[in-house]
């Protein structure tokens, strides 16, 4: 099957492309190559890469020629950047998703839209979010993801589009842009730089390996029902627990841990119920503590050139804007 993979030069998309090839499919990548998109993420992979924007219907039509299905990973993905400015988030995460749905409507192709557990919002009071729970997104990022995500069942019901949604937990692994907690803290620990923990660090996230997330999305591509939504869960850990495990694995000095001013609107806890996906036959293969995190730390320590390359240029300006006043306070 020829599959259009949007955002395939980003973190999870680059794992998914490898998985599709291993299953004998033919991926075609459409990627705008924003700061988070990196052709080096596809090094050694035999795949056609088309540079273009999912919000541009002509770019989608041209890249999608001959594709029977598509998986939409393309998005602006970082909560902290969405707090600095949300315009690109609205353009890609809402308008871009609508363009992908129109493409699926006119071609009859199947579409899987990759969404996030953040659309449910904070679960401080306990419990786990199910697919039919109300959405209460807290950040501009999650609000734009919720808007795009809700278009999918609407297109399935109104036009009969063959599209499903996945809502995945916090994903980690090789090739993740070092603005997110794990790659930022691992690369900073390796470089002897501060690990800026927001607030008290007792926030809880569910950690899901990128290969397990990719396996879930491939299963939904083949077995998911039109208009249906599938949660993809991980393992619950507090941010401080993750931070201390990174210190152990890198051998970095614990004094690098620096509590800084909290993220605005910070969600305290995410937790999802993924029984619906497990009923389709999915189960994660990576345990966070035993293999997932140690292998991930090893990847960043063995790929210093990749890290140095993505941590140069615009990254430095972003880091300065995001952290310098916080770290000085
Ligand atoms: P990423 O930021 O690493 O990659 C995003 C990719 O999309 C980049 O290659 C970028 O160049 C591309 N892109 C951005 N705007 C585009 C546009 N307008 N047109 C075409 N390409 C564009 O993201 P990721 O972490 O791999 O996330 C992939 C998807 O998974 C996103 O939809 C995200 O919301 C979702 N998700 C991520 C996580 C996570 O923890 N990383 C968890 C759940 C869901
Ligand atoms: O839950 C799925 C989501 O996970 C995805 O939809 C998003 O694309 C992805 O970015 C991620 O969002 P989070 O905001 O949870 O991830 P992030 O890595 O930015 O932060 C994880 C936790 O770590 C969160 O509680 C904030 C905290 N944190 C993060 C950074 C970058 C810190 O304490 N310090 C930091 O410097």
């Amino acid at each position: 099957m020829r599959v259009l993979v949007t955002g395939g030069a980003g973190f999870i998309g680059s794992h998914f492309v490898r998985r599709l090839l291993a299953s004998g499919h033919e991926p075609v990548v459409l990627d705008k190559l924003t700061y988070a998109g990196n052709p080096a993420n596809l090094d050694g992979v035999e795949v056609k890469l088309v540079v273009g924007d999912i919000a541009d219907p002509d770019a989608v039509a041209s890249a999608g020629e001959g594709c029977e299905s598509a998986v939409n990973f393309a998005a602006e993905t970082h909560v902290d950047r969405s707090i600095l400015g949300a315009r690109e988030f609205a353009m890609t995460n809402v308008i871009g998703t609508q363009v992908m749905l129109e493409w699926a409507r006119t071609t009859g192709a199947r579409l899987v839209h990759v969404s996030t557990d953040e659309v449910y919002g904070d679960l401080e009071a306990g419990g786990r979010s199910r697919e039919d729970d109300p959405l209460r997104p807290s950040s501009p990022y999650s609000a734009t993801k919720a808007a795009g995500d809700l278009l999918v069942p609407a297109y399935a019901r109104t036009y009969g589009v063959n599209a499903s949604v996945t809502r995945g937990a916090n994903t980690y692994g090789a090739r993740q842009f070092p603005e997110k907690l794990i790659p930022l803290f691992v690369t900073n620990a390796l470089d002897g730089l501060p690990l800026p923990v927001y607030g008290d660090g007792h926030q809880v996230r569910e950690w899901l390996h990128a290969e397990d997330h990719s396996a879930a999305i491939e299963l939904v591509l083949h077995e998911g029902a039109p208009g249906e939504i599938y949660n993809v869960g991980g393992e619950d850990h507090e941010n401080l627990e993750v931070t201390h495990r990174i210190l152990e694995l890198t051998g970095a000095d614990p004094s690098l841990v620096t509590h800084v001013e909290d993220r605005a609107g910070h969600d305290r806890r995410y937790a999802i119920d993924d029984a619906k996906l497990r009923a389709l036959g999915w189960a994660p293969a990576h345990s966070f503590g035993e293999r997932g995190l140690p292998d991930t730390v090893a990847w960043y320590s063995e790929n210093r050139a990749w890290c140095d390359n993505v941590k140069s240029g615009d990254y430095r300006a972003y880091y300065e804007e995001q952290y310098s006043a916080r770290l000085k306070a």
Side-chain angles (χ1 to χ4, degrees):
M1 180 161 70
R2 196 167 188 192
V3 187
L4 180 63
V5 182
T6 72
F11 163 49
I12 310 172
S14 70
H15 285 268
F16 185 73
V17 163
R18 286 170 170 81
R19 183 174 180 92
L20 279 186
L21 285 165
S23 319
H25 297 295
E26 187 196 341
V28 175
V29 171
L30 172 64
D31 199 297
K32 192 177 169 183
L33 297 182
T34 66
Y35 77 91
N38 184 353
N41 288 345
L42 296 171
D43 274 356
V45 176
E46 288 261 331
V47 67
K48 181 174 172 194
L49 168 62
V50 181
V51 179
D53 188 337
I54 60 160
D56 172 358
D58 294 337
V60 173
S62 156
E65 190 112 26
C67 291
E68 294 151 63
S69 62
V71 180
N72 185 32
F73 289 94
E76 287 294 334
T77 61
H78 192 37
V79 172
D80 291 324
R81 288 188 193 250
S82 79
I83 296 169
L84 296 175
R87 187 182 158 76
E88 287 305 314
F89 288 76
M91 293 308 296
T92 295
N93 302 357
V94 186
I95 304 297
T97 304
Q98 187 268 339
V99 169
M100 292 303 298
L101 284 160
E102 276 299 320
W103 172 80
R105 179 161 91 96
T106 50
T107 59
R110 168 143 177 81
L111 176 70
V112 174
H113 174 66
V114 181
S115 186
T116 165
D117 63 356
E118 293 206 13
V119 297
Y120 298 115
D122 213 358
L123 254 83
E124 198 168 0
R128 304 193 87 79
S129 305
R130 292 168 56 98
E131 287 84 352
D132 50 4
D133 283 353
L135 305 190
R136 294 185 303 109
S138 311
S139 70
Y141 161 70
S142 52
T144 59
K145 287 299 289 187
D149 165 328
L150 288 175
L151 282 168
V152 178
Y155 263 67
R157 177 166 168 161
T158 306
Y159 305 113
V161 168
N162 183 3
S164 310
V165 175
T166 58
R167 291 183 181 150
N170 276 63
T171 306
Y172 70 98
R175 299 184 295 277
Q176 184 170 29
F177 195 82
E179 62 190 354
K180 311 280 165 57
L181 179 79
I182 288 182
L184 174 69
F185 280 21
V186 171
T187 54
N188 277 12
L190 293 170
D191 290 339
L193 295 171
L195 311 189
V197 172
Y198 294 162
D200 64 12
H202 291 299
Q203 302 84 2
V204 176
R205 294 292 183 270
E206 256 187 272
W207 294 100
L208 166 68
H209 196 278
E211 288 173 10
D212 289 329
H213 197 165
S214 297
I217 292 165
E218 192 187 14
L219 181 65
V220 170
L221 177 63
H222 300 309
E223 306 290 337
E228 292 295 318
I229 295 164
Y230 301 87
N231 287 341
V232 192
E235 276 183 45
D236 300 359
H237 294 283
E238 283 194 358
N239 291 344
L240 269 182
E241 250 182 276
V242 174
T243 305
H244 286 120
R245 188 79 178 106
I246 289 172
L247 287 175
E248 275 168 32
L249 289 164
T250 54
D253 188 335
S255 69
L256 292 177
V257 175
T258 311
H259 286 264
V260 299
E261 186 192 347
D262 209 347
R263 172 185 280 175
H266 198 171
D267 283 331
R268 199 76 189 156
R269 171 176 174 262
Y270 300 137
I272 48 179
D273 177 334
D274 60 14
K276 184 172 171 183
L277 177 71
R278 286 176 185 262
L280 283 187
W282 177 83
H286 297 75
S287 118
F288 184 75
E290 280 163 34
R291 222 190 96 198
L293 192 59
D295 286 359
T296 300
V297 170
W299 188 88
Y300 288 98
S301 26
E302 286 157 16
N303 288 274
R304 301 306 293 270
W306 183 95
C307 300
D308 291 347
N309 185 39
V310 293
K311 278 191 143 186
S312 62
D314 288 351
Y315 179 86
R316 287 175 198 267
Y318 166 74
Y319 193 85
E320 180 72 17
E321 184 173 9
Q322 192 60 247
Y323 294 105
S324 112
R326 274 173 155 152
L327 286 167
K328 277 185 203 136

